[in-house]
Amino acid sequence: MTTTTRPIPPIDLVAERASLGGAIEDAVQRVLASGAYVLGPEVEAFEREFAAYQRAKHGIGVANGTDALILGLKSFCVGPGDTVLTSPFTFFASAGSIAWCGATPTFVDVDPETALMRTDQVAGALDGVRGVLPVHLYGQLCDLRALRKLCDDRGVFLFEDGAQCHGAERDGVRCGEIGDGAAFSFYPTKNLGAAGEGGMVVANDDTYATTVRRMRDHGSPAKYVHEFVGTNSRLQGIQGAVLRVKLPHLDAWNARRRAIAGTYDAAFAGHDDLRPIAKAPNSEPVYHQYAVRVLGGAKRRDAVLDKLRADGIGVAVHYPSPVHLQPAARKWGYGPGDLPGAEQLAEQVVCLPVHPFLSDDDVARVHERVLAAL
């Protein structure tokens, strides 16, 4: 039984930076000395390095993860009158980006065991759909090989939301490797996070990548030449440099997350009132979040949250409301009971600290306090 009372945060960016010594400061100074503050050589190098890491041909750095979703969708010419299929259990940006393009999000439910889009429902939901936007939640990939075949059979695009899955694999593939494109976020709390906002679209098709690259810069192939109306969404040089420092450490950080998750899995195995989100077959998650389901409804889940927070455990709920029940989603035509898997998870999920800078004592204290709270 651990007796430490020090708060355990859900993420520890101070510890992350300390683990890198002076490398972050050196990278920032390098950019400041160069004067290449927007795009520039650091961003170009990071685009190549991260695309290669995800086994994609092209990387296009943009201002944030939401812009990566919007620009990726716009580059498929998604617009008014279109529908795009996605998940109802995720952060609102996934569906919100579809709506921002003027299109309408439609949903298939998620499997409450894995929190991932139910591939078995996708085939019956593709009539009239322009494309599919799967969300790789909590650091675990959807069934990409199955989705790839379904999309190919129906002639629709497969554009992935990879905001939580840097380095994750399933059936031997990574996000962006076999999809038509993928959007990543480098928000500071991600497995690979910038020192601020940042995002990227990765792709394998040359023409598509060129379109995204021009879309981020006012539709411009050359200075003061504008082929179409784009926007201003360019990754900053400092963020590219910071991300280049962190990328070589990502595999080790993800391995530590997996080890912590394994400890939690063993501690919670067989408990009648607790269900960790399941690992999908042939999957290597990177545990952006370690999520458990507290059985018995939202009231019991919230009581557990209160106890853990009182004990200094940095827990969170991702996500307390499914997307289709948000006020902004009313015009999309969904209501309570339409997507029961997502609604069930919203009442049950608790996300525990799983960042790579937890000590073994921290991990033990977390799972001990969880079991005590139940």
Side-chain angles (χ1 to χ4, degrees):
M1 175 74 68
T2 58
T3 57
T4 306
T5 58
R6 177 183 63 85
I8 298 176
I11 189 74
D12 194 341
L13 298 178
V14 173
E16 179 187 87
R17 185 189 125 336
S19 76
L20 298 170
I24 294 291
E25 289 81 354
D26 291 345
V28 171
Q29 288 295 333
R30 187 169 67 245
V31 175
L32 293 176
S34 75
Y37 298 159
V38 179
L39 298 179
E42 294 287 349
V43 169
E44 291 169 5
F46 178 63
E47 289 173 333
R48 293 191 298 270
E49 291 161 5
F50 186 73
Y53 181 78
Q54 292 299 137
R55 302 174 191 154
K57 186 176 180 181
H58 299 282
I60 305 98
V62 298
N64 54 67
T66 301
D67 278 2
L69 288 167
I70 292 171
L71 296 183
L73 290 165
K74 292 287 284 184
S75 296
F76 288 114
C77 299
V78 171
D82 293 330
T83 59
V84 177
L85 194 65
T86 192
S87 169
F89 190 69
T90 177
F91 183 59
F92 189 78
S94 305
S97 297
I98 297 168
W100 190 257
C101 294
T104 301
T106 60
F107 301 105
V108 294
D109 207 358
V110 295
D111 179 352
E113 296 297 320
T114 63
L116 298 175
M117 177 184 282
R118 288 189 54 177
T119 310
D120 61 325
Q121 292 187 0
V122 171
L126 290 178
D127 288 345
V129 166
R130 279 290 315 281
V132 179
L133 179 66
V135 180
H136 304 306
L137 199 70
Y138 298 150
Q140 180 163 236
L141 297 184
C142 299
D143 190 344
L144 279 172
R145 291 193 182 275
L147 289 171
R148 176 76 277 172
K149 185 177 187 310
L150 287 167
C151 290
D152 287 346
D153 289 347
R154 298 297 290 271
V156 302
F157 67 76
L158 176 62
F159 183 62
E160 306 166 59
D161 184 338
Q164 299 184 10
C165 73
H166 313 71
E169 292 189 23
R170 182 169 177 177
D171 295 317
V173 298
R174 289 189 173 181
C175 177
E177 185 173 357
I178 64 173
D180 296 305
F184 286 88
S185 168
F186 303 116
Y187 188 75
T189 59
K190 304 299 184 186
N191 291 41
L192 180 64
E197 295 275 11
M200 186 174 290
V201 177
V202 304
N204 292 301
D205 182 82
D206 295 350
T207 301
Y208 175 75
T210 297
T211 301
V212 178
R213 199 175 300 279
R214 293 177 183 177
M215 183 79 71
R216 74 174 174 184
D217 191 19
H218 296 288
S220 178
K223 192 173 180 67
Y224 299 133
V225 177
H226 305 276
E227 291 185 336
F228 52 81
V229 177
T231 189
N232 178 6
S233 181
R234 299 171 294 202
L235 187 62
Q236 296 177 353
I238 285 175
Q239 304 306 342
V242 168
L243 289 161
R244 291 189 71 202
V245 170
K246 293 184 179 184
L247 182 58
H249 301 272
L250 182 56
D251 282 343
W253 291 344
N254 284 343
R256 175 59 178 162
R257 288 174 182 268
R258 290 190 186 104
I260 294 168
T263 300
Y264 287 156
D265 284 345
F268 301 145
H271 197 287
D272 291 337
D273 299 316
L274 198 68
R275 296 282 189 278
I277 293 296
K279 182 179 173 181
N282 304 314
S283 182
E284 285 294 330
V286 294
Y287 293 99
H288 172 65
Q289 300 289 340
Y290 182 90
V292 295
R293 298 161 55 202
V294 177
L295 307 187
K299 186 174 181 180
R300 185 166 193 229
R301 187 270 309 276
D302 292 348
V304 170
L305 284 171
D306 289 344
K307 291 178 182 178
L308 292 173
R309 287 166 177 159
D311 285 337
I313 309 299
V315 290
V317 176
H318 304 295
Y319 299 90
S321 171
V323 174
H324 68 286
L325 298 184
Q326 291 284 348
R330 288 177 186 143
K331 62 183 177 181
W332 301 336
Y334 295 88
D338 286 344
L339 298 162
E343 293 168 38
Q344 179 182 345
L345 284 172
E347 293 185 346
Q348 295 178 337
V349 162
V350 174
C351 295
L352 307 179
V354 72
H355 64 81
F357 304 100
L358 295 169
S359 69
D360 289 344
D361 284 346
D362 289 335
V363 176
R365 183 172 152 221
V366 170
H367 66 67
E368 287 169 4
R369 298 319 303 161
V370 169
L371 294 173
L374 287 165

